Amino acid sequence: MKDFAGRIAVVTGGGTGMGRELVRQLVAEGCNVAMCDVSARAMAETTRLCEAARLPQGLRLSSHVADVSDEAQVQRFAAEVAHRQDTDKIHLLFNNAGIGGGGSLFTHSREEWEKTFNVCWGGVYHNTRAFLPMLQAADQGHIVNTSSVNGFWASIGPKVPHTAYAAAKFAVKGFTEALITDLRINAPHISCSVVMPGHIGTSIVGNSRKVQGGHDSDEISPAEIALARARMASTRADAASMSDEDIRAMMAERARRFIEEAPMTAAAAATAILEGVKADRWRILVGEDAHGLDQRVRQAPERAYDIDFFEQMAADIGWRLGT
C-alpha cells in the first residue's frame, strides 16, 4: 500500500503519543481516519492539531471513546466507524493503544496487572476481531500491531520488574507473526506488520497512571502518592523520609523525562511506522536503541537478563530506563 490517500484507517490510542502522530500524518496524506481513545479531551486536541494544519477537502476524521480492553466497547467502536465513516470497509488498522503498570506479581495488584495486559494484548485481539470483516471487504488491507522491544526482551532493567507489559508485548509479537500465514491462506489481500519501538517520547507514563486510576486528571491524587510510596518501600528505597510533595514531584519528573529525554520523538516514530507499512515490511523496528537491543539479544539470548548485559547495553546504546 504505497499511497494512503482516499483510504480509511482506524487508529487506537489516537489521543496522544504515537497514535496522535499516526493520525496527523495519515490525515496529511489524505487518508480518512477513525481514532479511539479513553480520553475525549485528548482526542479533541488531536483533532484540533489536524484541523489547524488544514484537512483536505472532504476528508473524514472521527473520534470515538472506547476502552480497547473491553470487547463490547470495541464492537460499539467498529459499528460507529461504519456509520460515521459511511463505509463497510477499512484499509488500515493500527492497533496502537497501550499502557504500563502491573510490573510485579508481588507489589502490584492483580487488577492493575490485568488492566495492563488486557489493554496491551486484549486491545490488539479485540480490534483485529472486530475490524477483520471490514478489512476483508476492502480491495487491500494492512494490520499494524504495536509491540515493543519488550516483545523480544522482557525487561527495562534489572531493578524494575516488568511482567505485565512484557507478557502482553510478547503476545502481540507472536500473534502478528502467526497472522502472516493465516492471512496468506485465508485473506491474501491483507498483510500485517509488528512494530517494535524502543524508547519513544510519549506520555505513556502519565497516561498509564490515569487509566489505572480510572480518571482523566493531570493531578496526582493522594491515593496514587500512597501507592508510589508503598512500591518504593518494597524496593528498599527511603520513601519514609520523603513528603507527599516530594513524591508528587518525583512522579511528575519521571513522566517529563520519559518524554523529553527520549532518543526519538513520537512524530519520528510514526513516520518510521508508515514508511515500514509502505515498504510492506512485516517487522518494523523503531529507533536506534531498538535495532541495537535486537542485535544484542539475538547474539546472547542466554545472557539477556544478566546485570552485566544490561550495563553494557545501556552504556553502548544510551538506554536510560530501568536504572
Side-chain angles (χ1 to χ4, degrees):
M1 196 176 299
K2 305 294 185 184
D3 187 357
F4 300 142
R7 302 286 189 172
I8 302 171
V10 168
V11 180
T12 70
T16 58
M18 292 193 303
R20 170 179 287 173
E21 297 304 327
L22 284 168
V23 172
R24 294 181 69 187
Q25 293 182 32
L26 286 163
V27 164
E29 294 197 33
C31 186
N32 301 290
V33 178
M35 63 174 154
C36 81
D37 202 286
V38 292
S39 172
R41 180 168 62 111
M43 286 190 291
E45 177 61 12
T46 300
T47 299
R48 186 193 69 79
L49 290 168
C50 291
E51 290 176 344
R54 297 191 178 181
L55 298 177
Q57 188 172 5
L59 184 139
R60 295 184 299 276
L61 173 60
S62 59
S63 59
H64 310 259
V65 175
D67 178 348
V68 297
S69 69
D70 184 327
E71 187 172 12
Q73 292 190 41
V74 170
Q75 290 173 339
R76 187 197 69 220
F77 170 44
E80 288 179 1
V81 170
H83 175 68
R84 293 181 59 188
Q85 293 283 333
D86 190 24
T87 186
D88 63 351
K89 61 179 70 68
I90 67 167
H91 305 91
L92 294 150
L93 172 61
F94 292 87
N95 286 314
N96 164 81
I99 61 169
S104 172
L105 287 173
F106 299 91
T107 61
H108 291 81
S109 69
R110 177 169 181 167
E111 290 76 18
E112 181 175 332
W113 201 102
E114 291 183 356
K115 185 64 175 181
T116 299
F117 187 83
N118 291 339
V119 169
C120 292
W121 156 244
V124 171
Y125 176 68
H126 294 325
N127 279 279
T128 301
R129 280 283 192 191
F131 285 100
L132 195 56
M134 298 178 75
L135 286 161
Q136 288 178 281
D139 63 327
Q140 187 179 13
H142 201 116
I143 300 168
V144 187
N145 295 330
T146 300
S147 178
S148 166
V149 293
N150 294 132
F152 59 76
W153 183 59
S155 175
I156 54 173
K159 297 180 182 179
V160 182
H162 202 49
T163 61
Y165 187 85
K169 295 304 186 178
F170 265 76
V172 172
K173 177 177 180 288
F175 173 67
T176 311
E177 292 190 20
L179 269 182
I180 294 171
T181 300
D182 202 359
L183 292 171
R184 181 185 298 140
I185 293 170
N186 294 296
H189 67 298
I190 305 173
S191 52
C192 63
S193 300
V194 59
V195 176
M196 289 173 285
H199 179 190
I200 308 300
T202 73
S203 53
I204 188 172
V205 173
N207 288 346
S208 299
R209 177 183 61 79
K210 294 175 186 178
V211 172
Q212 296 288 3
H215 61 80
D216 192 24
S217 172
D218 292 329
E219 294 296 319
I220 299 172
S221 71
E224 289 166 337
I225 291 172
L227 193 57
R229 190 184 292 279
R231 288 172 183 165
M232 289 174 65
S234 75
T235 63
R236 298 183 175 85
D238 185 15
S241 65
M242 299 178 67
S243 68
D244 284 359
E245 280 306 311
D246 290 335
I247 292 178
R248 183 178 282 111
M250 178 193 70
M251 294 171 69
E253 176 65 7
R254 177 171 171 256
R256 183 200 66 79
R257 290 181 60 192
F258 191 92
I259 297 172
E260 296 181 8
E261 297 183 7
M264 191 176 203
T265 66
T271 299
I273 293 168
L274 295 180
E275 288 176 349
V277 172
K278 288 178 180 178
D280 201 26
R281 297 204 309 271
W282 71 263
R283 189 172 190 267
I284 305 173
L285 293 173
V286 181
E288 291 184 8
D289 55 345
H291 287 274
L293 186 54
D294 178 54
Q295 183 181 30
R296 283 164 173 76
V297 171
R298 287 173 179 274
Q299 288 174 341
E302 293 290 339
R303 294 186 50 246
Y305 303 104
D306 294 347
I307 292 177
D308 62 338
F309 174 94
F310 174 79
E311 291 174 344
Q312 187 62 56
M313 180 273 295
D316 288 346
I317 69 175
W319 187 266
R320 297 185 180 184
L321 304 179
T323 55

